[in-house]
Amino acid sequence: MRTLTVNVARVDCVCQLWIGHKLIQRLPELLNRAAYTKVAIVADRGAEVWARRVAEAVKVENSLVMLFEGGERAKSVEGLDAVWRFLADIELDRKSLVLSVGGGATSDLVGFAAATYMRGIACIHIPTTLLAHVDASVGGKSGINYNGIKNLIGSIAQPAGVVIDVDTLSTLPKREIRSGFAEIVKHGLIQDASYFEHVTRKECTDWASEDLVQIIHRSCEIKRDVVQADETEQGLRKTLNFGHTIGHAIEGQALTCGISITHGEAVAIGMAGESYLSYRGGRISRSELETVVSGITQAGLPVKLPVALPVTALRSTLAHDKKNVGGAVKWTLLDRIGQAAFDISVSEDLILDSLNEIQPG
Ligand code: GLY
C-alpha cells in the first residue's frame, strides 16, 4: 500500500490518501472508527457492489446506506437535496463520517453535501473509477451543476481521506479506463515530461494492475503537490485545467447534439487542441506538438472529434466557461512538455484555428 498526505494551509485540514489493492477490506484498520459517532455510506447505484463491501467491512447497517442513480445528472439541486435529507433523517451529527462510494460525480455531489451539512462534517471518498482515483476525489473540489453550467455551485473542502482501492477498476469498462487515463497524461504534460513519456508508451488499457498502482500514485502525487501549493486555484492549480477549456466545450456540444463522448475523450481532444494553440502561439515547437499528439494517440486516446461539431457552436460554448474572467477566455497552455502556463489570452483567429484542428480528419 502507498500513502500520500495532502497538507493545505488551513488548520485541521490534513487529507490522507491510501493507494493499493484490497483496501476496502482493510478499511477497519485505515479508518479511526472510534473517532466518529456514526458512519453512513452514500453511493452511486452503479458502484453498489463496492458500497456493499464497504458496508460489510466497516459494519454499516442498511439503514445508514443511501444508493442513488449516479452520473452527472445526479449533480443537481434535487440530487443534493436527497443527500442532505438522508443525512438529516439518519441524524448525522458534527462528529459523524460520510463515506462516498462511486465515480467523480459521486465525490462531487457527496463531498459538497458533507461540506455543507452542519457547516461541514468529515467525508472520506472511496472512488471506483480511474477518473475519480487520479482527479475528482483528490483536491477537495465538490459541487453540483446549475443553470446548465457544470459545477457552477460548489466548494473546495478537503475530504478527511481518500481510499483508492485499485481493485475497483476490475469492474470498469475499458472506455472508462481510457477516460481516466486522459487526466494521467495531462499530469505528465503539465508537470513531468518523463512521466508523460512513460504513461504514453503503450495503450492505456494494457497496463498491469501493479503498474497502475504506481501510475495512480504518481498522478495523485502531482495533483497533491499542485493543490498544496494553491488549494483555492488562484494560480498554479489552473494548470490542472489543461485540455479542459476545449474539452468542456466539446462535452457541452456533444450533449446538445446527442453524441456519446466521455470526459476523458473530450479532455484528450482538448489537450491536442490546446497543444496546437500552444504551438501556434509560439510556446512549443512543431516537434513538441507532434510528440504530444503521438503520445496521446499511443495511449489509445483520441486527438480529433469522432464527428464534426460546428466551430461556431464550440466557440460560443467557450464563452460560457466558468474559468473566464471579465468575459475573456483564459487558457492554460504548454510552455514545454512538463510545464504549463496559465491565464493566457489568445487571439480569436488562433482559437478558431485550434477548433478547426480537432475536427475529424
Ligand atoms: N480537476 C481539477 C482540479 O481539481 O483542480
Side-chain angles (χ1 to χ4, degrees), residues 24 50 126-129 133 164-172:
I24 289 179
W50 301 111
I126 305 173
T128 58
T129 66
H133 285 179
I164 302 174
D165 187 333
V166 179
D167 297 336
T168 54
L169 300 181
S170 62
T171 52
L172 204 63

Side-chain angles (χ1 to χ4, degrees), residues 135-136 138-139 141 183 186 223 227 233 237 240-241 244:
D135 186 36
V138 182
K141 279 191 181 174
E183 300 288 347
K186 178 196 77 181
K223 182 153 187 193
V227 169
E233 200 168 308
R237 189 164 183 170
L240 292 171
N241 296 328
H244 285 64

